Amino acid sequence: MRYRPLGRSGCAVSSLALGTMTFGAESDEAESHAVLDAFVEAGGTLVDTADVYSAGVSEEIIGRWRQARPADVTDAVVLATKGRFPMGSAPNTSGLSRRHLTRALDSSLGRLGVDVVDLYQVHAFDAWTPLEETLRTLDDFVRAGKIHYYGLSNFTGWQLTKAVHVARSLGLAEPVTLQPQYSLLVREVEWEVVPAVLDAGMGMLPWGPLGGGWLSGKYRRDQRPTGATRLGEDPGRGMEAWDRRGTEQTWDVVATVEAVAEERGVSMAEVALSWLTDRPGVTSTILGARTVEQVAANLRAVDLRLDEAERSRLDRASRPRVGDYPYGSLGVSQRERRLDGGRD
């Protein structure tokens, strides 16, 4: 396992993280505990969850796993959770207000069975709540010893940059990480979000690195998924829905990943994970595994380092299609500054 700083902090984490959205939903408690054991035994340290995962059950499963394992095992874990989305139907059971975040964090700490969580992330932006209120609340959590660091999740570039500058202007603790969706099928974050992360000195914890299974090779062109897969059970599920994601470019990317994997003698998942984990700004890539077999297979990506030619092939196949301006060739050239007599 490789280790990297957790964003702008001094805390070291594994370059592959374990996401636990499946715990209590697609993985029962026994399987979830086995997945945690396999991840930690392989040298994994960063475990990511959220209060809304299985309506709190994911956090409870992790809490019971911690109670059942010796301290030298659980002490190695860097524990991350999130709050923002509804945990009830009342008006103040969601958002980034001081009221909701305080209750959400206390509830998460209780379910996890800990006094402090290493990384607390706001799960998405909240247009209703002033950023000053949210950031002061997070700073208070740090000062109170309830969290060590905080991060952002699903923020756009301008939202992240504004949060960093507001925190700095008020002398508050700054966010150390951003958790965005990012993969060979979702590279639009490279237009504004990744530059904002790099400018702020933060680290990224990408989720959805296999595009909801598309990059693992489980789906085939002109064969609608069936059976015990996420899209087999629900073809219209979320951002990875069959009719939404099944574009010509997606199949081009899948074919390129498959070709590189066959040449290397590795799995498609290893190729996709290796490509992402070595992208600029990435601290740790979040694995979503339902079984021990899946997490063990994905952890093999640690040993795979793609060469420049392989990365270039993947880059070309997955480059997002964009208009001329502002992210296309005309917009990019407009922002260039050359010393060969060309226009600034």
Side-chain angles (χ1 to χ4, degrees), residues 146-166:
K146 298 169 74 171
I147 66 174
H148 289 143
Y149 312 102
Y150 77 89
L152 314 173
S153 181
N154 300 310
F155 273 45
T156 63
W158 76 264
Q159 292 164 354
L160 180 153
T161 298
K162 183 175 181 180
V164 170
H165 282 282
V166 168

Side-chain angles (χ1 to χ4, degrees), residues 74-98:
T74 58
D75 284 350
V77 171
V78 177
L79 191 55
T81 192
K82 299 183 283 293
R84 156 66 166 84
F85 292 123
M87 290 293 286
S89 57
N92 287 309
T93 55
S94 66
L96 300 184
S97 68
R98 178 179 291 272

Side-chain angles (χ1 to χ4, degrees), residues 18 30-43 65 69 73:
L18 179 64
E31 187 71 25
S32 300
H33 284 188
V35 167
L36 283 162
D37 287 337
F39 177 72
V40 172
E41 287 169 8
W65 175 82
R69 300 300 184 271
V73 172

